[in-house]
Amino acid sequence: MLDASDIRLLMLHFLAQNDAHGYELIKSIEELSKGEYSPSPGIIYPNLTLLEEMDAIRVVDAQASRKAYTLNEAGRALLAEQQAHIQHLTERLASLAVLVNNRSIPDVDQAIYRMRTALNSRLSQENISTEALEQIVDALNSAAEKIANS
């Protein structure tokens, strides 16, 4: 969903607001998308190391059991330079939160379930004719068009 440079910018964005541990950064990104996207520790921790090597962040207390990070001047400069892109990233993740809210409306959730069940049931049959497959594709394309234009 996001590449490593996007993740680094989001990490800097959240560190500009508060010092944080890696886990807190994961949770901040996850919270922005209402749980629809959560970066893995395998993405966050190597990028924390890279940002530290780039002198964009530093450890707040090297003696602490969990490393909390804070922004350095280089990190602030990078944030200022990439502000428009950061806004785009945060809006993109926030739109996932809207998706989660709308998809959880009971009628919408039920309709999605019925569509998925019907489609999986029909496509799991071994000898579907070419005509039947064409009808399924037409029905899906028609539904997609109606949804897009509603």
Side-chain angles (χ1 to χ4, degrees):
M1 165 162 263
L2 300 172
D3 65 25
S5 63
D6 291 341
I7 293 292
R8 286 191 296 274
L9 285 174
L10 285 170
M11 292 165 63
L12 292 174
H13 168 75
F14 286 111
L15 288 172
Q17 297 170 27
N18 291 306
D19 296 348
H21 305 96
Y23 179 76
E24 293 168 322
L25 291 170
I26 291 170
K27 288 301 174 191
S28 294
I29 294 169
E30 183 179 5
E31 192 173 295
L32 183 58
S33 70
K34 287 229 176 161
E36 197 64 18
Y37 174 72
S38 180
S40 71
I43 297 287
I44 293 294
Y45 290 101
N47 278 297
L48 282 170
T49 301
L50 180 59
L51 287 169
E52 196 173 5
E53 289 170 357
M54 294 168 55
D55 200 34
I57 63 173
R58 66 178 167 76
V59 175
V60 174
D61 179 4
Q63 305 304 317
S65 61
R66 291 176 58 196
K67 288 183 186 178
Y69 295 88
T70 193
L71 228 50
N72 283 343
E73 271 313 304
R76 283 188 188 82
L78 187 58
L79 266 179
E81 163 184 314
Q82 295 290 324
Q83 197 56 46
H85 187 61
I86 292 166
Q87 182 172 346
H88 169 74
L89 291 172
T90 57
E91 287 171 359
R92 189 168 149 204
L93 288 174
S95 74
L96 291 175
V98 172
L99 172 67
V100 168
N101 285 340
N102 288 335
R103 201 172 45 205
S104 67
I105 296 169
D107 288 345
V108 173
D109 185 50
Q110 183 63 29
I112 291 169
Y113 174 79
R114 288 185 63 222
M115 176 64 81
R116 186 180 303 125
T117 301
L119 186 59
N120 289 340
S121 173
R122 190 67 175 108
L123 292 177
S124 67
Q125 296 172 357
E126 276 191 52
N127 297 318
I128 301 176
S129 69
T130 303
E131 182 182 327
L133 285 173
E134 288 172 0
Q135 288 175 352
I136 291 168
V137 169
D138 287 346
L140 290 171
N141 284 331
S142 176
E145 190 173 323
K146 284 180 183 177
I147 291 167
N149 294 324
S150 63

